[in-house]
């Protein structure tokens, strides 16, 4: 069993006014109450929030502020902190940050590529539920397969295998599979039945660290198609056309966010049962589609 139960939330920087429209109107996220005027909060399910946007300039992959990794109890969080410290990893508790993140407690540390990790327990549940302004339902939070979190993040790393090893060795993630990206392979990791919650890859011409994309999954192909229509009507950048991935079978397209990283908007992602899962290797990231386009945007290096 993984020490981490889910990718619970993601925090990024970006232009708030642009996100104020992009989140609800394009993605179908519900705006949540925020006590900080310099932070927008968005919901995808009954949690009080899943995606936070802190005021800042578009910075592409470097827009990532923190990944929130959920554990199931205070005891497990304490055990994780002890384990990390015993292995020479610097960890600190931050009660003030826990209050702002609306969780009972959290610890902060960094992975080998410098990404900030906030491991926490006790997230706040919004009893009013979730209502999407676009009428979509996200595959997030509690599902028939269990708690699976917000979605997945695709992270950039010069040494993808080494970056993935931090999560498997210290946090209990498990390898789902690998995909050839040029001469090196991307590594896909799971901590619950979602095919992957975190992936690492070195991409030609891309920065050596940061957030490549955040995947949000919806429950119908129609919702993907309508979101794609909304993106095209507004002439927003589409880095990858609609297609189906080879490993997780997600049918999706990619849209450039106001922060400069991408959102993968998808349907029908594969789930994993560790009792009979076999790790595989794929020679191509997609079965069809997902054609690259030339996308204008902020500098990412």
């Amino acid at each position: 069993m993984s020490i981490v139960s889910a990718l619970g939330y993601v925090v990024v920087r970006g232009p708030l006014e642009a996100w104020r429209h992009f989140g609800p109107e394009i993605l179908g996220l519900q705006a949540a109450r925020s006590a900080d005027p310099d932070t927008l909060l968005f919901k995808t399910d009954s949690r009080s929030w899943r995606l936070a946007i802190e005021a800042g300039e578009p910075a592409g992959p470097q827009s990532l502020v923190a990944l929130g990794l959920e554990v199931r109890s205070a005891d497990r969080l304490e055990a994780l902190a002890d384990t990390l410290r015993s292995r020479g990893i610097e960890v600190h508790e931050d009660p003030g940050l826990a209050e702002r993140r609306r969780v009972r407690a959290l610890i902060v540390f960094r992975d080998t590529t410098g990404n900030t990790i906030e491991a926490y327990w006790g997230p706040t549940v919004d009893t009013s539920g979730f209502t999407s302004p676009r009428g979509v339902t996200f595959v997030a939070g509690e599902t028939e397969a269990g708690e699976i979190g917000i979605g997945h993040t695709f992270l950039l790393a010069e040494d993808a295998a080494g970056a993935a090893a931090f999560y498997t060795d210290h946090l209990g993630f498990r390898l789902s599979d690998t995909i050839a990206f040029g001469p090196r392979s991307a590594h896909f990791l799971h901590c619950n039945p979602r095919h992957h919650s975190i992936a690492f890859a070195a991409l030609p011409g891309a920065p050596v660290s940061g957030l490549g994309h955040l995947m949000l999954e919806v429950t119908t192909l129609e919702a993907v198609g309508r979101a794609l229509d909304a993106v095209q009507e507004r002439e927003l950048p589409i880095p990858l056309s609609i297609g189906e991935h080879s490993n997780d079978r997600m049918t999706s397209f990619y849209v450039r966010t106001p922060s400069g990283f991408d959102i993968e908007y998808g349907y029908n992602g594969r789930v994993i049962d560790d009792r009979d899962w076999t790790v595989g290797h794929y020679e191509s990231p997609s079965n069809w589609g997902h054609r690259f386009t030339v996308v204008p945007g902020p500098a990412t290096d």
Side-chain angles (χ1 to χ4, degrees):
M1 180 181 293
S2 174
I3 300 167
V4 171
S5 60
L7 172 64
Y9 61 75
V10 176
V11 183
V12 298
R13 293 188 185 90
L16 298 189
E17 192 58 31
W19 269 100
R20 206 181 306 276
H21 295 281
F22 182 83
E25 296 171 12
I26 301 300
L27 304 179
L29 302 174
Q30 180 184 353
R33 178 185 58 83
S34 176
D36 181 359
D38 291 326
T39 301
L40 293 180
L41 298 177
F42 292 112
K43 298 176 57 175
T44 62
D45 60 305
S46 62
R47 292 289 177 85
S48 62
W49 68 279
R50 289 289 192 177
L51 176 63
I53 316 296
E54 297 182 350
E57 294 298 316
Q62 303 310 314
S63 300
L64 181 62
V65 174
L67 302 177
L69 301 184
E70 185 168 320
V71 300
R72 292 185 173 88
S73 67
D75 289 344
R76 291 190 179 187
L77 184 63
E78 183 178 358
L80 174 59
D82 290 343
T83 297
L84 293 173
R85 289 185 178 115
S86 72
R87 296 174 181 179
I89 298 167
E90 184 177 346
V91 177
H92 70 272
E93 300 177 17
D94 192 331
L97 183 59
E99 183 175 359
R100 294 199 301 276
R101 300 289 194 241
R102 302 181 188 175
V103 299
R104 295 292 300 275
L106 63 72
I107 59 174
V108 182
F109 55 96
R110 292 183 182 273
D111 66 15
T112 54
T113 58
N115 298 308
T116 297
I117 307 299
E118 299 172 2
Y120 68 91
W121 78 278
T124 299
V125 176
D126 184 349
T127 56
S128 66
F130 169 73
T131 303
S132 167
R134 289 188 57 85
V136 304
T137 301
F138 290 94
V139 180
E142 289 293 340
T143 69
E144 291 182 0
E147 165 62 45
I148 59 173
I150 180 177
H152 75 238
T153 53
F154 186 91
L155 302 172
L156 305 174
E158 192 170 18
D159 178 6
F166 179 92
Y167 288 77
T168 56
D169 294 349
H170 302 307
L171 304 178
F173 279 72
R174 297 174 294 280
L175 181 65
S176 303
D177 43 46
T178 58
I179 295 179
F181 276 80
R184 290 181 283 185
S185 294
H187 290 243
F188 296 79
L189 311 175
H190 66 279
C191 61
N192 57 47
R194 191 187 289 281
H195 176 273
H196 61 282
S197 292
I198 291 177
F200 285 98
L203 301 181
V208 297
S209 65
L211 176 61
H213 71 254
L214 166 65
M215 187 284 297
L216 300 175
E217 184 178 0
V218 291
T219 56
T220 67
L221 183 59
E222 178 185 354
V224 174
R226 290 187 180 277
L228 181 56
D229 280 350
V231 167
Q232 292 174 326
E233 287 167 3
R234 291 165 175 79
E235 298 184 342
L236 300 177
I238 302 174
L240 269 75
S241 67
I242 194 165
E244 181 189 80
H245 281 305
S246 57
N247 62 344
D248 69 355
R249 309 291 173 79
M250 185 80 70
T251 298
S252 61
F253 72 94
Y254 291 64
V255 58
R256 181 67 37 92
T257 69
S259 294
F261 66 89
D262 296 339
I263 291 287
E264 178 186 4
Y265 204 80
Y267 160 73
N268 200 36
R270 200 173 186 179
V271 295
I272 282 178
D273 185 338
D274 277 313
R275 292 173 298 182
D276 57 12
W277 183 255
T278 298
V279 176
H281 177 74
Y282 296 82
E283 294 184 345
S284 173
S286 296
N287 294 326
W288 57 268
H290 287 149
R291 302 300 183 189
F292 286 95
T293 62
V294 178
V295 179
T300 57
D301 54 15

